[in-house]
């Protein structure tokens, strides 16, 4: 298992970064390595983001020095998303079969986590928790679906809410998935920020030669990152987070912070973007 620590970056510092520095601090590459658990520990809301690819064997996530606890989930909750073929996740309380794009919420204390399944590819998210809640599987069919946008504005999309107050209870993680339909390429535009929560993006479903231009930064001081399939973004509370692709795609969004109110955002007017 490998864990990389990312420090919190002040926006005044971030706007001085060149492309390489922006990518080093906010882009997450190489999360899905066969036979490995690869994690990023972020000082934004202590969010942990990463991947576990069991390949032909099994993997376990039992502890990590960075959490300062004997067990990884002793004071944390987690969400595991299967972005590959069918696989199995084991927790302290049982075994759970995950199909493609299903999500498993794992309550505080229900570790260790085990991963198996040839062809399975697990995206792992974790944040501190204040109480133990029941571990629960939410399939893609059981998620709350919200259709928004239009082809005319290049943002015809379906939002799937999994770990969300309208579906289930969590301590602070809010996790879902947005799929752009054919011909639509824009996500989260008009843009917003939410100073009460940080966010992580994972872009999936992109063709090998396609890219997403992910927009970040303060509304009046924007930057961009060029992102390929199965790469992630750490989005600070002070930053916008939106993007446009050279093809349609899906992205998994995950938030942690002071509340679980999905609609608690500060909208940015188009005229204020620079």
């Amino acid at each position: 298992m490998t864990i990389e620590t990312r420090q919190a970056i002040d926006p005044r510092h971030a706007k001085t970064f060149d492309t390489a520095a922006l990518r080093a601090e906010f882009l997450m590459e190489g999360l899905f390595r066969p036979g490995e658990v690869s994690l990023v520990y972020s000082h934004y809301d202590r969010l942990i983001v990463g991947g576990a690819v069991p390949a032909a064997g099994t993997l376990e996530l039992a502890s990590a020095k960075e959490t300062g606890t004997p067990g990884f989930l002793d004071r944390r909750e987690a969400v595991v998303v299967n972005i590959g073929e069918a696989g199995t996740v084991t927790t302290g309380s049982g075994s759970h079969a995950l199909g493609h794009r299903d999500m498993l919420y794992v309550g505080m204390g229900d570790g260790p986590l085990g991963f198996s399944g040839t062809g399975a590819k697990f995206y792992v998210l974790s944040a501190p928790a204040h109480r133990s809640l029941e571990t629960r599987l939410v399939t893609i069919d059981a998620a709350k679906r919200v259709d928004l946008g239009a082809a005319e504005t290049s943002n015809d999309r379906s939002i799937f809410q999994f770990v969300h107050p309208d579906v289930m209870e969590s301590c602070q993680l809010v996790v879902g998935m947005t799929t752009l339909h054919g011909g639509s390429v824009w996500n989260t535009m008009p843009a917003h920020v939410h100073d009460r929560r940080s966010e992580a993006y994972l872009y999936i479903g992109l063709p090998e030669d396609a890219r997403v231009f992910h927009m970040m930064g303060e509304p009046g001081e924007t930057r961009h990152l060029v992102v390929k399939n199965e790469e992630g973004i750490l989005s600070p509370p002070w930053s916008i987070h939106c993007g446009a692709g050279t093809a349609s795609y899906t992205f998994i969004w995950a938030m942690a912070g002071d509340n679980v109110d999905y609609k608690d955002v500060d909208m940015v007017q188009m005229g204020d973007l620079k």
Side-chain angles (χ1 to χ4, degrees):
M1 182 175 71
T2 60
I3 303 182
E4 177 190 359
T5 298
R6 300 280 183 98
Q7 301 295 330
I9 304 297
D10 183 274
R12 293 169 296 182
H13 187 197
K15 71 180 182 180
T16 68
F17 286 177
D18 62 11
T19 298
L22 283 172
R23 292 176 70 86
E25 297 295 343
F26 301 109
L27 179 68
M28 295 178 287
E29 302 174 280
L31 296 178
F32 302 100
R33 300 186 180 104
E36 294 184 27
V37 176
S38 305
L39 303 176
V40 173
Y41 182 99
S42 170
H43 281 273
Y44 294 116
D45 291 301
R46 305 288 171 173
L47 189 65
I48 292 177
V49 182
V53 184
T58 60
L59 295 172
E60 184 178 70
L61 177 50
S63 63
K65 178 183 177 182
E66 286 75 5
T67 67
T69 54
F72 182 76
L73 292 180
D74 286 355
R75 294 176 61 86
R76 286 181 162 269
E77 60 185 356
V79 173
V80 180
V81 189
N82 185 8
I83 64 170
E85 298 174 13
T88 300
V89 177
T90 59
T91 68
S93 61
S95 179
H96 310 270
L98 274 68
H100 182 58
R101 299 192 178 183
D102 291 344
M103 296 194 188
L104 177 69
Y105 171 83
V106 186
M108 183 181 74
D110 197 15
L113 295 173
F115 308 95
S116 62
T118 302
K121 192 177 292 185
F122 299 105
Y123 180 47
V124 181
L125 299 149
S126 179
H130 62 280
R131 63 191 179 104
S132 180
L133 296 170
E134 183 180 0
T135 294
R136 177 177 170 182
L137 174 66
V138 183
T139 66
I140 183 72
D141 293 332
K144 180 180 178 181
R145 176 171 174 165
V146 180
D147 295 319
L148 294 174
E152 292 78 9
T153 49
S154 302
N155 66 348
D156 183 20
R157 65 199 188 276
S158 295
I159 300 171
F160 297 90
Q161 299 169 344
F162 289 79
V163 182
H164 184 283
D166 289 345
V167 178
M168 61 165 292
E169 186 178 10
S170 66
C171 290
Q172 65 166 318
L173 280 173
V174 180
V175 187
M177 182 184 302
T178 299
T179 295
L180 279 293
H181 299 302
S184 289
V185 296
W186 274 104
N187 80 74
T188 324
M189 180 60 71
H192 62 252
V193 298
H194 33 66
D195 199 52
R196 278 75 61 192
R197 298 185 306 278
S198 58
E199 189 160 355
Y201 269 37
L202 180 73
Y203 287 101
I204 60 176
L206 273 168
E208 182 62 29
D209 61 349
R211 296 293 185 269
V212 170
F213 289 74
H214 180 90
M215 314 299 174
M216 64 162 296
E218 294 179 291
E221 192 74 43
T222 63
R223 301 290 188 271
H224 74 271
L225 296 165
V226 180
V227 185
K228 64 182 180 181
N229 190 47
E230 296 182 359
E231 291 185 337
I233 298 288
L234 290 174
S235 183
W238 47 263
S239 176
I240 64 168
H241 37 280
C242 58
T246 60
S248 299
Y249 54 91
T250 293
F251 68 99
I252 299 168
W253 41 268
M255 295 179 283
D258 275 329
N259 63 40
V260 293
D261 185 356
Y262 177 77
K263 296 180 180 179
D264 178 24
V265 301
D266 299 314
M267 297 302 299
V268 177
Q269 298 301 313
M270 289 297 238
D272 293 333
L273 289 171
K274 295 183 176 62

